[in-house]
Amino acid sequence: MRRSEITLDTLYDREEQLLEELNSGEAKDWVYYEIVDVYEKMVRYLSRCSAEEKEEHGFEYVKKQLVSYLIHYGTYLKTQLRKDERVAKTAFQKALRYDSENPIAYYRLGFLTYNEQRYTEALRYFEQALEYQKTYSNREFCLNERQLYYAHLYLANSALFIAEKTYQSVAQFPDYISDQEKPAELSFLHEWLQRNENILTMQAFTKWTASGKEYCSKEQCEQVMMNPPKNTVVLYFSDRENVVSYHGSEVCLPRDPSEMLCYFLVETNKERPATKYDMEVFFQSRRNGDIPTNTFVQKVKRLREKLGRIGVPPTLDSCPCRGETAYYYNGLVDYIIMYRSDYTFMFDDEW
């Protein structure tokens, strides 16, 4: 038993080291994979313990952390800077082993399989997402209003694609079909499919500027990236990577710093700067919940440095606020932020 206790203590120590790495703001390809591996080992160990030991060692906390990393960072497990749909699918499936009623995991799997034209599988995932959404209590993994809307559209289209394929199969047996038994006219299926597909295509992405939000297609996002406005920082959460562009130069960012930049641009100004407490969602939480001020300062410093490498003028100013170091977007350059309309930010973007 002594050896097992030392092993668990070692895992706790490794957890702390990895959280420090993640909070440093540096992109290290192995970190997300390592932290998931550590939490999986903790869960396996604690699942064999008594109820008292589980409570003592925070079994539910560990399991929630594991599911959270699989959901939020699963697409980055292979590399922090490049998204991988195959890796993401494996991560979402693994999350469901530990949280079998997680709505957002089912939704994400539905989206991935829909894009692969595996409509029967996609239909099942979207049905489960909508069903579990009714009773799931953890808001972090519930579908937001936009995702609920898309889930219904994807579900309807999956069923329509299946119906269309079935009708086409039935038509291969003309000798067995009388005039009274012929399938209904398929035009209504095509019309409904086309309508839904147009919505999903033309509203696939959201473009966010100082003037507000509007929907756009993936192609329109790519056009902005090819011909960006002058004196404008463009932050694009594409299907492949998170890119910051300025005057033709680009830099890729992991999820946390890219969302931190997004938060600064849309939520802060000189009258409303952000301290570490306003931005604690971007820091990997420890059991005591503390965020060292220097960690916050260093993370913002690295973000500034990455923006500086592509020629972005100093855009994030610092100031004291409530006894803390704070930062804000100074408006020196304009911004455009583009992301999938069903993207879930770690911060609350429902304004």
Side-chain angles (χ1 to χ4, degrees):
M1 186 65 181
R2 179 64 178 169
R3 175 181 291 181
S4 296
E5 289 176 351
I6 293 174
T7 301
L8 189 57
D9 288 341
T10 301
L11 289 172
Y12 287 143
D13 291 340
R14 185 60 178 151
E15 176 198 18
E16 286 295 313
Q17 294 169 2
L18 291 169
L19 293 178
E20 287 290 344
E21 293 282 357
L22 288 172
N23 284 333
S24 72
E26 288 294 315
K28 299 178 177 66
D29 289 348
W30 49 268
V31 178
Y32 291 145
Y33 178 86
E34 283 276 323
I35 191 70
V36 165
D37 183 62
V38 166
Y39 284 131
E40 282 190 297
K41 289 176 179 176
M42 286 183 178
V43 168
R44 282 197 297 269
Y45 175 89
L46 292 172
S47 64
R48 298 190 295 268
C49 294
S50 66
E52 292 76 12
E53 289 175 309
K54 285 180 179 179
E55 184 175 357
E56 177 186 355
H57 293 288
F59 177 62
E60 291 303 320
Y61 163 84
V62 172
K63 192 164 68 168
K64 181 181 176 182
Q65 285 290 91
L66 172 57
V67 171
S68 182
Y69 276 93
L70 288 169
I71 296 294
H72 293 308
Y73 301 101
T75 191
Y76 301 96
L77 287 182
K78 191 174 182 180
T79 164
Q80 288 201 48
L81 296 177
R82 298 289 183 272
K83 300 177 183 179
D84 190 317
E85 290 188 352
R86 288 176 297 177
V87 173
K89 184 181 291 186
T90 300
F92 299 145
Q93 290 169 337
K94 188 177 288 187
L96 290 173
R97 295 182 205 166
Y98 302 103
D99 186 4
S100 62
E101 298 183 359
N102 190 297
I104 195 64
Y106 283 113
Y107 177 86
R108 295 299 181 199
L109 285 168
F111 174 79
L112 293 173
T113 51
Y114 184 91
N115 285 347
E116 295 171 351
Q117 299 182 9
R118 296 163 61 182
Y119 299 117
T120 301
E121 191 174 350
L123 183 147
R124 184 174 70 251
Y125 282 134
F126 287 121
E127 282 184 328
Q128 290 170 305
L130 292 171
E131 183 62 29
Y132 290 127
Q133 172 81 5
K134 298 174 184 176
T135 56
Y136 198 78
S137 58
N138 187 348
R139 185 175 179 271
E140 179 182 359
F141 303 124
C142 283
L143 306 184
N144 60 33
E145 186 174 341
R146 172 59 48 175
Q147 290 163 342
L148 280 170
Y149 173 58
Y150 283 165
H152 283 91
L153 285 182
Y154 283 125
L155 177 61
N157 267 23
S158 296
L160 290 169
F161 276 120
I162 295 168
E164 182 181 48
K165 183 178 179 180
T166 303
Y167 278 178
Q168 290 170 350
S169 297
V170 170
Q172 297 175 14
F173 304 96
D175 295 340
Y176 298 91
I177 303 173
S178 66
D179 290 339
Q180 290 78 20
E181 295 170 341
K182 285 182 180 180
E185 177 61 44
L186 296 183
S187 61
F188 81 96
L189 287 181
H190 294 298
E191 292 173 5
W192 197 1
L193 273 170
Q194 190 60 51
R195 172 187 172 277
N196 289 353
E197 284 291 288
N198 285 342
I199 293 173
L200 292 170
T201 298
M202 299 311 297
Q203 297 184 11
F205 280 78
T206 296
K207 184 167 72 171
W208 203 346
T209 67
S211 300
K213 297 180 183 179
E214 64 182 44
Y215 294 118
C216 60
S217 66
K218 181 177 180 179
E219 288 70 22
Q220 290 171 322
C221 292
E222 299 292 344
Q223 290 172 6
V224 172
M225 292 300 290
M226 291 174 60
N227 188 27
K230 291 188 179 298
N231 199 41
T232 301
V233 170
V234 181
L235 173 56
Y236 182 29
F237 295 83
S238 80
D239 293 333
R240 301 180 302 276
E241 56 203 2
N242 303 326
V243 184
V244 182
S245 172
Y246 186 76
H247 288 179
S249 297
E250 296 182 353
V251 62
C252 295
L253 297 177
R255 175 167 185 171
D256 286 12
S258 57
E259 288 200 15
M260 178 179 281
L261 175 59
C262 180
Y263 184 92
F264 276 128
L265 293 174
V266 302
E267 268 290 88
T268 68
N269 52 47
K270 189 173 183 179
E271 288 71 38
R272 190 174 58 185
T275 70
K276 66 180 184 181
Y277 299 110
D278 298 307
M279 308 188 75
E280 61 183 352
V281 68
F282 299 112
F283 294 85
Q284 310 310 310
S285 62
R286 293 168 177 75
R287 293 166 196 268
N288 62 10
D290 181 50
I291 303 171
T293 298
N294 187 59
T295 299
F296 175 53
V297 171
Q298 289 300 315
K299 201 161 187 175
V300 176
K301 177 183 176 183
R302 290 190 174 93
L303 176 58
R304 284 165 144 182
E305 289 172 349
K306 289 172 183 174
L307 296 176
R309 288 174 198 163
I310 59 171
V312 178
T315 304
L316 303 178
D317 288 347
S318 63
C319 67
C321 180
R322 303 187 298 274
E324 295 285 341
T325 301
Y327 298 90
Y328 63 92
Y329 162 59
N330 58 23
L332 191 60
V333 296
D334 294 329
Y335 67 83
I336 297 175
I337 302 165
M338 300 179 295
Y339 56 92
R340 277 209 168 270
S341 298
D342 62 350
Y343 185 84
T344 305
F345 284 96
M346 286 185 283
F347 62 93
D348 185 5
D349 67 321
E350 296 299 320
W351 301 312

